[in-house]
Amino acid sequence: MITLVRRVTAVCLLGTALTACAATVQPAPRTARPAPSATSAPPTLAPGPGGLTPVFRNGSRVHGRTVALTFDADMTADQGARAATGEHFDNPGLISALRALKVPATVFMTGRWAEEYPDQARSIGRDPLFEVANHSYSHYAFTDDCYGLPRVSADRMRADVERAHSAFRKAGVPDARPYFRFPGGCYDRRALRELTPAGVTAVQWDVVSGDAFATDAEAVARQVLEGVRPGSVVVLHCTRSAAPTTERVVRAVVPRLRARGFRFVKVSELIGSWSGGS
């Protein structure tokens, strides 16, 4: 989700902009699905109105104190030169912290990130604590005016998603989930329509952490703690160069939320346990 446009630095502006970006399309009706298991297909939502790609923002508010931490592993198609000169788009310390804290999580990974860090992509994808989902190949925008990101043409949207899946397979990720997060969180009806044949569930969020370009880990942790409700999906990042505080945020937030009775789950569990509650 990180856009690498330095003008988007204020946490409040980021949250406001993301909310506005997703406001153009009403959420698709949610449909109860069986809980995920080792032998069943990953749970997804039924198509939205007009058969459009369904959109999931949060789980049930009334069936347990669950919360899903999600991490966007961002790298755009044109950032290879920056990685070659030492810029870190990965965050192995964050993944180690999640493992040490035994926190299940969903990592929305770009195909370009998987190409740059295949060993890490494979390690995350093969760890039962985590699940890998699709964040596009290029991290280019699927709408106009999305934080200054380059834009994918409508006729290339599905191909961009499928190219990411190919990159995951090449890296050795065995079972990427059929979930998709729009770069920047920006989408409209055309984007939902173009992705319908891909058979994905679009996953947004209801808690913006504000870790993008943040330097005050405690302020980010406070924003997360103030925003989380039962069934929440929290958006964070797995990118050291653009979200350097995220590991510290996780180490601060996890014990506090557990003390409040929250249980950490993957997005698939929230979708699988959805019962239509508000």
Side-chain angles (χ1 to χ4, degrees), residues 26-124:
Q26 293 300 312
R30 282 106 176 209
T31 304
R33 299 280 177 170
S37 72
T39 58
S40 64
T44 56
L45 299 184
L52 296 179
T53 297
V55 181
F56 182 78
R57 291 186 178 84
N58 59 268
S60 172
R61 303 298 192 191
V62 297
H63 292 95
R65 296 174 71 80
T66 55
V67 57
L69 299 185
T70 69
F71 298 88
D72 291 357
D74 294 342
M75 186 174 180
T76 62
D78 56 1
Q79 289 176 335
R82 289 166 57 176
T85 59
E87 184 168 349
H88 294 287
F89 297 93
D90 62 340
N91 194 339
L94 167 63
I95 299 301
S96 294
L98 291 168
R99 286 172 168 149
L101 293 165
K102 296 180 172 58
V103 177
T106 303
V107 179
F108 286 89
M109 190 180 293
T110 69
R112 184 64 187 88
W113 194 99
E115 287 179 346
E116 189 69 27
Y117 305 106
D119 292 344
Q120 292 186 56
R122 181 168 57 254
S123 176
I124 293 168

Side-chain angles (χ1 to χ4, degrees), residues 154-184:
D155 64 343
R156 295 296 301 164
M157 290 177 181
R158 179 182 176 186
D160 194 69
V161 173
E162 291 174 345
R163 186 178 179 186
H165 277 297
S166 295
F168 301 156
R169 288 191 294 270
K170 185 175 181 179
V173 175
D175 189 25
R177 305 286 89 175
Y179 310 138
F180 178 71
R181 174 162 286 166
F182 287 98

Side-chain angles (χ1 to χ4, degrees), residues 9-10 17 19 21 33 40-41 60 63-64 72 74 154 156 158 163 193 211 216 229 237 243 245 267:
T9 56
T19 301
C21 188
R33 299 280 177 170
S40 64
S60 172
H63 292 95
D72 291 357
D74 294 342
R156 295 296 301 164
R158 179 182 176 186
R163 186 178 179 186
R193 183 173 61 251
D211 66 338
D216 186 342
R229 300 168 58 196
H237 295 87
T245 67
V267 165

